[in-house]
Amino acid sequence: MAAVAKDRPEPEPELEPEPGRGVRIRGFKERLKRAKSRAEAQPQPPPPPPSSEGRDVAKARGEVPEAAAVLLAAAHLLLLWALIQLSLRQLLLLGPAGPGAEQAGFSAHTARKHLQHITDFGPRPAGSPANEILTVNYLLKQIQKIQEGSAAAHSIAVDIQRPSGSFSIDFLGGFSSYYHNITNIVVKLEPKDGAKHAVLANCHFDSVANSPGASDDAVSCAVMLEVLNALSKSSTPLQHAVIFVFNGAEENILQASHGFITQHPWAKLIRAFINLEAAGVGGKELVFQSGPENPWLVQAYVRAAKHPFASVVGQEVFQSGVIPSDTDFRIYRDYGNIPGIDLAFIENGYIYHTKYDTADRIPLDSIKRAGDNILAVLQYLATSVELADSTQYRHGTMVFFDVLGLFVVAYPQRIGVIINYLVAVAAVLHLGKKFSTSINHGSHYMRDLLYGIGVTIICWFIIFVTILIVAVFVSLTGHAMSWYTHFYVSIVLYGSIALAKLILIHTLAKNLYYGVSLIYLCRSTKWTLLGLGTVFLVSATLVCSGAFFPYASDPAGPHPKRISLQHTTRTFHDLNGEIIKRDSGIWINGFDYTLMSHVTPHIPEINHTIRSSCENAPFCGFPWFLPINNFIRKNWYLPASEISPKTPVAFKLISKYKMPLQSMKLTFELTGPSHMTLYIRPLEGSFIIGSSIGDGTSLYSSDGDYFVFYSHGLQAPPWQFWLEIQTLEPTPDAMVTIAVASHYLFGEDQRTADLIALEKRFPEWCVISSWSSSYNLFVF
C-alpha cells in the first residue's frame, strides 16, 4: 500500500495564499476524510475470534500457557532437590564384601569394632573412670597391638600426657579455663631414622555427660586407630612423621588440645594438622574450616581425598560466630600457629549430644569413606615437599567447594577477587553499551533497568515481611517449631505464601509496565495464585491447629526436645562468712523456643509460678555450666531437698597482701569435683588488674561478671589461684564477690532420688541431661 501510494500521490489541497494555522488544519481534515472514504469502499475481512487473536499475540510474545509454566517451574525445583539429595546421600557403597576385602587398606569393619568398644563404656566426661581408665586402657591396648604388627620401615612411640594449664578464650562471650591432670594419648609414627617434620591427626574420646558420644567423637578415634594400623603396615617408608593425638578433654572447651600443643615436646615438629570432629551423626564428613592461609593444604586434600566433600561457605558461617560451637582447630591454629583442616560429620544433628548418639546409628559407609579420606590425605602429607617447609607456600587463602560430592573445585582467593572484578567491569561495559544504544534509538533502557531493580527489592522486602508475620502468628497460637520434626510442612507453609507473593508482585508489574522473565511469559497466573493461596490456607490451618507436633520419640528417627535438670543447693554468705540465704531445688532449662509450654501439661508443677528470678549475685545466683545465660530467656526452679555429695566444695581465702598502687592480692584455695565453675564480680569501686588465671593479665567479663571453667582428671591437688584487685578507697570493707559452682557429671553423686523421680515424669520425646550441682557465694 505504501508503494502504491508513493507512485500515485494524491494532489495537495489548494491552500490560501497566507500559510496560517487554520489553513493547515483544513488541509489535514480533507486528507483524512478522503482516506476514510477509500477504506470504507474496500471489502473488510472478518475479524478473527478473540481467543485466537489472544493466542496469536501470546505466541508472538513467546508466552506459554499457565499450566506449562507451572510444570516447568516444578520440574526445575525437582531437579534441584534431586541434585541436593545426590550430593548429601552419595556414599561409598561397600556391598556384601566382608572384612577380608579391606585387608589392603582401611578396614571399616575393624574401626566399627573399636567404636562399639569405646561407646560400650557409656558417657565419658573428663575425669570419670570411664574416660580416664577404661577408654585409656582400651586405646593403649590397641596401640600396643599395632606396634607389634608394624612394618620394619616404621618406628612407633607412645606417650601418655597429663598436662595442667590455663588459657582464655573469646568463645560464648569470653571466659577463662583452668585444667589439671587431664589425659592425652600421643602416638608418633615415623621413619626408622626419625623425622624433623610431622603432620598431626587429632580426635577426642571424651563425651558430654549423659551421651555415649559415638559420633562426637568416638568414631573419629576409631577411624584414627585403624588409619594408624594401615599406615604402620605399609612397607613404603614415610618422609615425615605422623602424630596421632587421642585427647581426653575436648568437651571441657578444648582443654586437652591446649595442653598438648603448648606443652608436649613433639608439638614443635608439627607443620600441619587434621582435626576430626562431629556436629551430627553419620553422613559425609565435611571440610568446613582450613587455614589460616596455606592454600597448599586444601590443594593436598583435593588431590589426595578419595571422596572429597568441602565448602568454604561452612568456614565463613562457622567462623562468624553464628553457631555457638568450637573445635580443637581453634587451639592448634591460635596457640600452635600451624595451619590445618577441620572435618566433621554433619548429618542428623537432631541427636547430637544426646542419648541417641550411639554406634549403631553411624553407617558403615560413613566410617569407610572417612577412613579412606583420612588415610589418603595423611599419606600424601607425610610424603609431601610442602610439609617440610610450609612457610614458602604460606600466603594466600583458598576458595573451595565440591560439585555434588564428586570432586572439589579450589582456587586462591585472589583469583576469586580478580574474577569478581572482571565480572563487575564486564557488567559496567555491558550496561554502558546498552545505555548508549538506547539513547540512539530513543528507548528507555535506564528507566526499565531501575524499574526492574526496584520491583525486585520491593518483592523481596514484602516476602520477608509476609513470612515474618506468618511466623509471629504461628508462634502466638502456641504451635511454633512444627518444622523441627515436619520439615516439609515449613517448606509448604512458608514456600507457598512466598511464591504467591513473588508471582503476584511480578504479575502486577507485567500488567502495569512490561514483561521480561519466566513469570511474564505466562499468559495468566490466576490459577497458580489461587492454588498457592489454597495450599497456604490449608497448611496454615493445620499448623495452627496443632496437627504437626514439633517433637518425636521414634527410635528410628528421633527429634527430641532437649532439657537440662540440675538438682542444686544454693548457699549465700555475707562478708563475715555467715549464711544469709540457703535453698535447694531442681533448676530447669529448655534449649529451644517453646521452652516448657509442651511439658507443663505433663508436669503441671513446671509453670510460671516457679519461674526463677535473677538474684543480686554473679550469673543471677545459678550454677551455669557455661556462660550461656544471655542465650536463654527463661528457666524454672522447682523446690527440692538438699543434696549431700560425697565430694563437697571447700573454698577459702588463704592470704591477703597489700600491693603497691593501692591494690590487694588475694590468694584462694579450692577443692571439689572434677568440674567446677567460678563467677567473679568486683564490687563498686574495685577492679581486677591481674590474676593467675588465663593469660595472667586480664579476664573476660560478661556484663561485669567473670566466668572461669575448671576441670581435673582422676586426681588433683587443691587448686590455688590469686587475684589482684585495685580499689578506689584505701581500706574498703569488701572488694569482690566470688561464687563457686560444683557439677557432679558422673558417679553416685550425679543423680539424686529427686532427679530420677522427676525425669520419669517427662514425656518420651524429651531428652534429659541431668546432674547435681551446688552454688556457694562468698564476699571478700
Side-chain angles (χ1 to χ4, degrees), residues 544-603:
C544 294
S545 64
F548 303 104
F549 191 69
Y551 309 107
S553 59
D554 179 12
H559 291 69
K561 178 178 179 63
R562 299 166 187 256
I563 295 176
S564 167
L565 303 180
Q566 291 188 47
H567 187 179
T568 186
T569 293
R570 306 189 302 168
T571 307
F572 299 82
H573 301 81
D574 62 12
L575 183 60
N576 299 318
E578 300 293 331
I579 296 177
I580 58 175
K581 180 179 180 180
R582 185 178 178 88
D583 62 26
S584 297
I586 297 180
W587 188 43
I588 306 168
N589 282 283
F591 294 104
D592 61 39
Y593 182 80
T594 66
L595 299 174
M596 293 292 115
S597 60
H598 294 292
V599 174
T600 300
H602 299 269
I603 311 177

Side-chain angles (χ1 to χ4, degrees), residues 518-552:
L518 175 65
I519 294 174
Y520 298 162
L521 294 179
C522 292
R523 190 177 313 138
S524 172
T525 58
K526 62 180 181 180
W527 291 110
T528 303
L529 290 173
L530 181 60
L532 289 172
T534 303
V535 169
F536 168 72
L537 290 176
V538 171
S539 59
T541 301
L542 292 174
V543 168
C544 294
S545 64
F548 303 104
F549 191 69
Y551 309 107

Side-chain angles (χ1 to χ4, degrees), residues 389-662:
D389 190 7
S390 60
T391 56
Q392 294 186 11
Y393 313 95
R394 175 181 179 85
H395 299 292
T397 302
M398 294 293 288
V399 176
F400 54 91
F401 54 91
D402 71 284
V403 179
L404 302 179
L406 300 175
F407 58 90
V408 171
V409 176
Y411 53 87
Q413 187 180 50
R414 63 179 181 275
I415 300 298
V417 172
I418 293 173
I419 292 174
N420 291 339
Y421 279 126
L422 290 176
V423 171
V425 170
V428 170
L429 293 176
H430 175 73
L431 291 176
K433 182 179 179 180
K434 284 285 188 178
F435 293 155
S436 61
T437 303
S438 65
I439 293 174
N440 295 333
H441 292 79
S443 62
H444 305 284
Y445 184 80
M446 173 69 79
R447 185 186 66 186
D448 293 346
L449 176 64
L450 294 177
Y451 182 88
I453 293 174
V455 168
T456 302
I457 294 174
I458 292 172
C459 182
W460 286 112
F461 175 76
I462 292 177
I463 289 174
F464 172 77
V465 172
T466 302
I467 291 177
L468 184 62
I469 292 173
V470 173
V472 171
F473 180 78
V474 171
S475 298
L476 292 176
T477 64
H479 297 97
M481 290 188 63
S482 60
W483 53 266
Y484 189 69
T485 297
H486 311 279
F487 175 72
Y488 289 105
V489 171
S490 64
I491 298 296
V492 173
L493 175 65
Y494 297 105
S496 60
I497 189 62
L499 191 57
K501 286 286 185 179
L502 178 70
I503 294 175
L504 176 61
I505 294 171
H506 280 284
T507 299
L508 293 174
K510 169 195 173 183
N511 295 336
L512 296 176
Y513 194 70
Y514 69 128
V516 290
S517 72
L518 175 65
I519 294 174
Y520 298 162
L521 294 179
C522 292
R523 190 177 313 138
S524 172
T525 58
K526 62 180 181 180
W527 291 110
T528 303
L529 290 173
L530 181 60
L532 289 172
T534 303
V535 169
F536 168 72
L537 290 176
V538 171
S539 59
T541 301
L542 292 174
V543 168
C544 294
S545 64
F548 303 104
F549 191 69
Y551 309 107
S553 59
D554 179 12
H559 291 69
K561 178 178 179 63
R562 299 166 187 256
I563 295 176
S564 167
L565 303 180
Q566 291 188 47
H567 187 179
T568 186
T569 293
R570 306 189 302 168
T571 307
F572 299 82
H573 301 81
D574 62 12
L575 183 60
N576 299 318
E578 300 293 331
I579 296 177
I580 58 175
K581 180 179 180 180
R582 185 178 178 88
D583 62 26
S584 297
I586 297 180
W587 188 43
I588 306 168
N589 282 283
F591 294 104
D592 61 39
Y593 182 80
T594 66
L595 299 174
M596 293 292 115
S597 60
H598 294 292
V599 174
T600 300
H602 299 269
I603 311 177
E605 302 95 302
I606 304 178
N607 55 55
H608 68 280
T609 62
I610 63 165
R611 280 273 307 277
S612 56
S613 59
C614 184
E615 303 279 354
N616 184 21
F619 283 82
C620 289
F622 284 98
W624 291 97
F625 187 73
L626 290 172
I628 58 174
N629 52 309
N630 292 327
F631 294 90
I632 298 178
R633 299 178 292 129
K634 301 175 184 177
N635 39 57
W636 290 258
Y637 193 49
L638 182 66
S641 60
E642 287 193 7
I643 66 168
S644 300
K646 293 186 177 181
T647 311
V649 168
F651 183 64
K652 61 182 178 179
L653 175 68
I654 61 175
S655 67
K656 182 177 181 180
Y657 293 104
K658 188 172 183 179
M659 305 291 287
L661 301 177
Q662 201 170 317

